[in-house]
Amino acid sequence: MPQVPQTFFDALAVRTWCGLALRALGRAREEIDAINVYPVADGDTGTNLYLTMESAVTAVEAVFAGHGTLTEQKPPLADAAGAMAHGALIGARGNSGTILAQLLRGMAKVLAADGETAHTDGEGLRLALRHAADSARQAVAHPVEGTVLSVASAAADSAGDTEGDCGAVARAAYDGACAALAATPRQLAVLERAGVVDAGGRGLVAVLAALVETFTREAPVFVGHARVEDVSAVGAPGVDDVLLCEDDPTAAQEGGPAYEVIYLLEAEDTAVTRLRDRLDALGDSLVVVGGDGLWNVHVHVDDAGAAVEAGVEAGRPYRIRITHFGLGDVHTTGAERPPRERAQRAVVAVVPGEGLAGLYGEAGATTVLARPGEPPASGELVAALRRAHAREVVLLPNDADLRHTAAAAAEQARAEGIRVALIPTRSAVQGIAALAVHEPERRFDEDVVSMTSAAGATRYAEVAVAERQSWTMAGICQAGDVLGLVDGDVAVIGADVTATARAVLDRMLAAGGELVTLVLGDEAPESVADVLEVHVRESYLAVDTVVYRGGRQGALLLIGVE
């Protein structure tokens, strides 16, 4: 990543900053996870910040790559800043990542105000930091001081009092953020009790340190402490720095809601205003960020279904993530979580729908949800490998296109001391077959060989709808045609889902088989499973059929034959 010292903020500076911020968050991730006690002590703030920034980096790199195919010049500042904000918005994870996404969006609004300008100066950066802090605070339903919001406001205040180029402004923002971070235990009782500073604020300090390095080539050394031995020695914030909040800041620690719900939402501004009120009544830790028709919604609730239904009423929610705070979590007990012993072996699998996530989870696997057109990044797979908390992990990517991403994640986990075996499963039905023969009591190598053999012996297919006209192995298809893909290639083109699925199944069973696995997507006809089960029973002796519900998985139907 290039590191060019400069006095102005242009597209290259955006790219450099994002890359340096990702690296800084990667270094600080474990430290930040370890001090995460508010609003939920689930130990993932550092990981969520890292994944959010990784999404921003990916989007910025895509802009540079696309621009490079047209011209040798760098893209406009507006394009790079807009990509940074959009990438963070669609990739935001958790409460902290959602707020970081809004901070970056707030900055981008100022940096991209003049779409034709090539760069901005120190004054522009000061305005961007101010707008970032203000917009992040507005996105939180009930702002609480002693959090990342306080750190962001202090950074903007310090930057606003500074004259000079971008380097001087960035340094002032960083110094102000460090001072505010040190004060967070005096502002928030739960931090004081735990003897730590705010985890989200610590992450923002890392991001601002990267901003300093972008302009000066020198990365400031963080001299504060994540853990505070004597909180009485921490300077208290001024009265003007503290907002009176409607909620008790420690309420989330005492028997709070059981679920975290996050989704992207396509909706109009007026609908989102109503949505805020509805979700605010359902739970807490509500953060809604975004704009221009696309929003990222985060809330903690007891009724996850109601939170999703509220999104459906407002617009089109997608990339829905529902996380259950475990019964032993601090969020529901108010007690400090004891260290968890590492398991000897675990399985991590990428799955295409919520239904399969439940199925894999019941079998003991740690899952990563992959939605149509939105494959998980390597950082997300690494986070899942860590979350499995085992000495040995079997990784099932369940998608041929993920093999390089999965290999990179496995390599990083190995560098951290985790023994990882990557089984190159190309479909979720192959993963099901592998998981069915998984035996944690066996020697690791024997278990991996058995799972690999079971996956390799499973032929896979899917039935989907063509989105556009295209050349295929089976001829030309038109938008709306039903496609039957066998081992990744189009083998059947039809007009009816059930008839196409039956033709695909006959092709697969012509080579023999003992077990047919059907995974139904939400949009598949209700009758297709019954028709196919009867067809197999009447046409193929000694072949069993099992049916699962996959949820919103992209394909109408997944088929496996063992």
Side-chain angles (χ1 to χ4, degrees), residues 380-401:
E380 195 166 357
L381 296 185
V382 172
L385 291 168
R386 294 171 181 141
R387 192 168 69 247
H389 205 64
R391 299 179 181 88
E392 302 168 338
V393 181
V394 179
L395 177 57
L396 306 174
N398 292 340
D399 187 337
D401 292 336

Side-chain angles (χ1 to χ4, degrees), residues 165-500:
D165 60 20
C166 288
V169 172
R171 183 73 209 203
Y174 172 79
D175 290 341
C178 287
L181 179 66
T184 56
R186 293 294 299 270
Q187 295 174 286
L188 198 52
V190 66
L191 301 179
E192 186 173 23
R193 288 198 299 269
V196 298
V197 297
D198 178 66
R202 173 65 184 93
L204 181 57
V205 165
V207 171
L208 291 174
L211 186 63
V212 175
E213 186 176 1
T214 298
F215 296 111
T216 68
R217 276 187 182 252
E218 298 178 358
V221 178
F222 178 61
V223 296
H225 299 282
R227 296 191 179 276
V228 182
E229 299 299 330
D230 180 11
V231 293
S232 64
V234 177
V239 173
D240 292 340
D241 295 330
V242 182
L243 287 184
L244 295 178
C245 305
E246 299 178 27
D247 295 346
D248 176 4
T250 64
Q253 298 294 316
E254 306 294 340
Y259 295 94
E260 177 184 60
V261 179
I262 304 175
Y263 49 81
L264 289 178
L265 177 71
E266 293 178 355
E268 299 298 325
D269 291 5
T270 53
V272 171
T273 299
R274 293 192 297 271
L275 175 66
R276 289 178 191 268
D277 294 338
R278 174 98 181 264
L279 293 179
D280 194 25
L282 286 174
D284 61 28
S285 297
L286 173 61
V287 185
V288 181
V289 305
D292 301 322
L294 180 63
W295 307 82
N296 191 304
V297 179
H298 170 281
V299 67
H300 295 170
V301 293
D302 280 322
D303 190 343
V308 176
E309 288 172 6
V312 173
E313 291 179 6
R316 187 179 79 88
Y318 61 103
R319 290 190 68 173
I320 301 168
R321 295 182 180 86
I322 300 175
T323 303
H324 179 248
F325 299 122
L327 294 178
D329 198 286
V330 179
H331 189 61
T332 54
T333 66
E336 185 173 350
R337 184 166 45 192
R340 181 160 59 99
E341 181 67 24
R342 278 189 180 273
Q344 181 59 33
R345 189 173 310 159
V347 176
V348 170
V350 179
V351 293
E354 291 85 354
L356 282 179
L359 174 67
Y360 274 75
E362 289 174 5
T366 297
T367 60
V368 177
L369 199 57
R371 293 166 180 80
E374 299 169 355
S378 61
E380 195 166 357
L381 296 185
V382 172
L385 291 168
R386 294 171 181 141
R387 192 168 69 247
H389 205 64
R391 299 179 181 88
E392 302 168 338
V393 181
V394 179
L395 177 57
L396 306 174
N398 292 340
D399 187 337
D401 292 336
L402 283 178
R403 62 185 185 276
H404 296 306
T405 301
E411 192 61 34
Q412 183 171 339
R414 292 183 189 116
E416 297 177 8
I418 304 172
R419 188 180 184 189
V420 182
L422 172 60
I423 297 179
T425 49
R426 293 169 290 175
S427 170
V429 292
Q430 289 188 320
I432 291 173
L435 200 56
V437 300
H438 169 54
E439 292 186 14
E441 304 306 318
R442 276 193 301 223
R443 289 179 54 246
F444 186 60
D445 292 340
E446 292 176 356
D447 197 29
V448 171
V449 169
S450 178
M451 294 176 73
T452 303
S453 177
T458 302
R459 281 159 287 156
Y460 66 96
E462 68 177 67
V463 177
V465 176
E467 296 181 356
R468 56 186 176 275
Q469 184 185 59
S470 179
W471 288 89
T472 75
M473 297 288 290
I476 300 176
C477 71
Q478 305 295 328
D481 284 347
V482 180
L483 306 181
L485 295 87
V486 178
D487 292 336
D489 293 322
V490 176
V492 180
I493 300 175
D496 178 75
V497 174
T498 302
T500 303

Side-chain angles (χ1 to χ4, degrees), residues 9-166:
F9 207 157
D10 63 357
L12 183 59
V14 172
R15 184 189 200 187
T16 302
W17 178 35
C18 288
L20 291 173
L22 182 65
R23 189 174 71 181
L25 289 171
R27 289 195 300 262
R29 182 192 59 78
E30 291 185 0
E31 171 200 336
I32 297 171
D33 282 346
I35 62 171
N36 172 202
V37 297
Y38 183 85
V40 181
D42 46 2
D44 63 359
T45 289
T47 300
N48 287 336
L49 289 169
Y50 179 88
L51 293 173
T52 302
M53 184 56 71
E54 183 180 49
S55 183
V57 168
T58 300
V60 172
E61 289 300 323
V63 165
F64 270 81
H67 200 78
T69 62
L70 302 174
T71 174
E72 295 182 358
Q73 296 181 348
K74 61 191 175 187
L77 172 60
D79 289 1
M84 171 187 70
H86 182 74
L89 178 68
I90 65 173
R93 301 291 197 278
N95 188 75
S96 55
T98 306
I99 293 175
L100 175 62
Q102 186 68 355
L103 287 166
L104 296 180
R105 178 179 172 80
M107 291 191 69
K109 278 285 188 181
V110 174
L111 297 175
D114 182 353
E116 301 301 319
T117 187
H119 63 263
T120 191
D121 56 11
E123 175 62 20
L125 180 55
R126 284 193 293 274
L127 293 174
L129 290 167
R130 179 76 272 160
H131 189 65
D134 293 344
S135 60
R137 188 174 292 276
Q138 292 165 6
V140 178
H142 300 285
V144 173
E145 295 307 314
T147 66
V148 63
L149 298 177
S150 304
V151 177
S153 293
D157 291 343
S158 294
D161 293 336
T162 301
E163 299 293 334
D165 60 20
C166 288

